[in-house]
């Protein structure tokens, strides 16, 4: 994410600040609020640590998502009809932007998954919306690829004095928002129309598989961030790993990662942005300084012993359980030539393994 000093870890998101002018003050300290940029600690932080597994994993829980329920409602604002010109593929709806065809659906089922992911990551980050030390009084904030708008709304509630803009390809945000939050239909791959040196904080999350040139994206963010401002990006891997179980090369977890990486690369995109230090290196190349990178392990089920990580895992499991077909139907049929039936069978195989708590699976962020 784009956050900052050595004391401020960020999710595999890399955090970076734009260079300050000669008269600019030193980096602001993060506010001591629940959502502010502060250090995250615990078993999930870093790749060298191991999340402790619970003792009752012999009994498989195939209905973890039913314990959570699903109250999430999706409503949309009244925008022009052209914005709703969705494509329908195998019964799911997809947006058709100017620059490319976006790989994930924008229907209610997938949008509920986005909100589940938001809440899972919130718990993983210690109930923090971000980790960058943006100070107590951010004025202009951009949430790039806002999705359902849940992060932007939470941020607007937390900072009522900030002007928060959330952009996305699809009008899937709620009609009611805090007065300081607004949503715009925009494609971040096109030219940005905001002034230079405009935003105090730019938040990016889960754009993996959709950006052809991450260096160019970060360069745009750099151009439109104020000197001394912050950019944070949190991206996730598509491969499920485990510290407690040996995952063979022919396992569906490994196959899932391989086919998604291959399908994205055929479209000139990548799902590898969270690998190694790609985000950090691209941010540094764009001109950012004080770049901090921290990797987190996001559990995929309720297998951790720690109660908070267990709940975060259940939420992530619920997201995956209802989102798998949406992830695969477009990419695997259009890019790899699979039939819809093959995709559904593949998702069923993956779902069966995700449901096994004893796999102790996690995804790197």
């Amino acid at each position: 994410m784009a956050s900052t000093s050595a004391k401020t870890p960020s999710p595999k998101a890399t955090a970076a600040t734009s260079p300050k002018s000669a008269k600019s003050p030193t980096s602001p300290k993060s506010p001591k609020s629940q959502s502010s940029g502060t250090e995250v600690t615990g078993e999930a932080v870093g790749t060298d640590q191991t999340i402790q597994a619970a003792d009752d994993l012999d009994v498989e829980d195939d209905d973890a998502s039913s314990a959570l329920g699903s109250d999430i409602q999706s409503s949309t604002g009244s925008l022009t009809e052209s914005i709703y010109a969705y494509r329908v593929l195998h019964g799911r709806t997809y947006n058709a932007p100017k620059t490319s065809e976006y790989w994930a659906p924008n229907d209610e089922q997938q949008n509920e998954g986005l909100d589940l992911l938001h809440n899972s990551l919130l718990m993983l980050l210690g109930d923090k919306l971000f980790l960058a030390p943006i100070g107590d009084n951010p004025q202009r904030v951009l949430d790039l690829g806002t999705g359902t708008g849940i992060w932007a709304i939470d941020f607007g509630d937390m900072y009522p004095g900030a002007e928060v803009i959330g952009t996305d390809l699809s009008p899937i945000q709620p009609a009611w928002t805090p007065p300081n939050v607004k949503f715009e239909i925009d494609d971040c791959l096109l030219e940005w129309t905001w002034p230079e040196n405009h935003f105090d904080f730019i938040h990016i999350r889960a754009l993996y598989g959709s950006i052809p040139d991450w260096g160019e994206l970060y360069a745009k963010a750099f151009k439109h961030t104020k000197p001394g401002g912050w950019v944070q990006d949190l991206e996730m891997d598509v491969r499920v790993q485990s510290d407690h179980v040996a995952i063979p090369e022919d396992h569906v977890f490994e196959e899932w990662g391989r086919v998604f990486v291959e399908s994205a690369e055929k479209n000139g995109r990548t799902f590898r942005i969270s690998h190694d230090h790609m985000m950090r290196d691209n941010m540094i190349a764009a001109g950012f300084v004080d770049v901090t990178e921290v990797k987190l392990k996001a559990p995929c089920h309720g297998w951790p012993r720690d109660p908070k990580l267990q709940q975060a895992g259940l939420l992530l499991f619920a997201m995956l359980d209802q989102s798998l077909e949406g992830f695969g139907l477009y990419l695997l049929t259009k890019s790899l030539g699979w039939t819809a039936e093959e995709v559904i069978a593949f998702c069923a195989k993956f779902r069966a393994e995700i449901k096994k708590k004893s796999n102790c699976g996690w995804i790197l962020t």
Side-chain angles (χ1 to χ4, degrees), residues 5-16:
S5 67
K7 292 183 178 179
T8 311
S10 327
K12 163 53 193 164
T14 288

Side-chain angles (χ1 to χ4, degrees), residues 172-300:
I172 56 175
Q173 301 77 36
W176 182 92
T177 65
N180 60 326
V181 177
K182 66 178 181 179
F183 297 113
E184 298 177 359
I185 305 305
D186 193 32
D187 187 341
C188 68
L189 301 185
L190 301 177
E191 192 67 27
W192 291 17
T193 57
W194 300 288
E196 295 184 19
N197 306 322
H198 185 67
F199 293 105
D200 297 286
F201 183 34
I202 295 179
H203 175 260
I204 307 170
R205 185 173 69 185
L207 294 185
Y208 57 161
S210 61
I211 305 298
D213 187 338
W214 285 88
E216 181 180 349
L217 178 70
Y218 291 149
K220 288 178 180 178
F222 181 86
K223 179 180 179 181
H224 294 276
T225 303
K226 290 180 179 179
W230 295 92
V231 172
Q232 173 174 310
D233 187 9
L234 191 157
E235 302 297 334
M236 305 183 72
D237 196 5
V238 290
R239 182 166 63 103
V240 177
Q241 304 180 61
S242 177
D243 294 322
H244 298 275
V245 176
I247 305 295
E249 283 294 315
D250 61 350
H251 193 278
V252 68
F253 287 168
E254 293 291 330
E255 186 181 2
W256 183 274
R258 285 193 296 269
V259 298
F260 272 83
V261 167
E262 180 185 356
S263 62
E265 289 178 349
K266 285 194 173 184
N267 289 328
R269 308 299 198 260
T270 183
F271 279 113
R272 298 179 184 269
I273 187 60
S274 65
H275 291 193
D276 301 321
H277 307 292
M278 289 180 62
M279 297 168 66
R280 181 199 67 186
D281 294 348
N282 276 294
M283 283 193 170
I284 292 172
F288 289 102
V289 298
D290 296 337
V291 179
T292 298
E293 174 189 77
V294 172
K295 300 183 180 183
L296 300 174
K297 296 178 180 180
C300 300

Side-chain angles (χ1 to χ4, degrees), residues 33-197:
S33 69
Q34 187 180 34
S35 68
S36 64
T38 54
E39 185 174 358
V40 172
T41 60
E43 298 175 356
V45 181
T47 57
D48 295 332
Q49 296 200 86
T50 298
I51 299 174
Q52 296 301 308
D55 298 325
D56 59 347
L57 300 185
D58 289 338
V59 179
E60 304 299 350
D61 182 3
D62 288 351
D63 296 309
S65 58
S66 64
L68 293 169
S70 181
D71 305 331
I72 303 167
Q73 299 294 323
S74 264
S75 60
T76 56
S78 57
L79 301 174
T80 60
E81 290 186 5
S82 61
I83 294 175
Y84 293 96
Y86 300 149
R87 295 166 296 137
V88 179
L89 179 67
H90 306 298
R92 307 298 296 272
T93 61
Y94 297 78
N95 193 277
K98 295 178 181 178
T99 52
S100 66
E101 294 184 337
Y102 185 60
W103 64 274
N106 58 6
D107 52 27
E108 183 174 356
Q109 179 178 344
Q110 208 74 12
N111 296 342
E112 287 187 359
L114 292 177
D115 286 349
L116 289 167
L117 176 63
H118 169 81
N119 285 289
S120 177
L121 292 174
L122 192 65
M123 300 190 75
L124 190 67
L125 294 178
D127 295 324
K128 300 175 181 67
L129 287 173
F130 57 91
L131 299 179
I134 64 173
D136 295 306
N137 191 32
Q139 295 298 298
R140 297 190 184 99
V141 177
L142 173 64
D143 185 25
L144 199 66
T146 192
T148 63
I150 189 170
W151 186 93
I153 290 171
D154 284 352
F155 189 96
D157 283 336
M158 194 66 61
Y159 292 89
E163 174 191 333
V164 184
I165 299 174
T167 65
D168 202 86
L169 297 171
S170 298
I172 56 175
Q173 301 77 36
W176 182 92
T177 65
N180 60 326
V181 177
K182 66 178 181 179
F183 297 113
E184 298 177 359
I185 305 305
D186 193 32
D187 187 341
C188 68
L189 301 185
L190 301 177
E191 192 67 27
W192 291 17
T193 57
W194 300 288
E196 295 184 19
N197 306 322

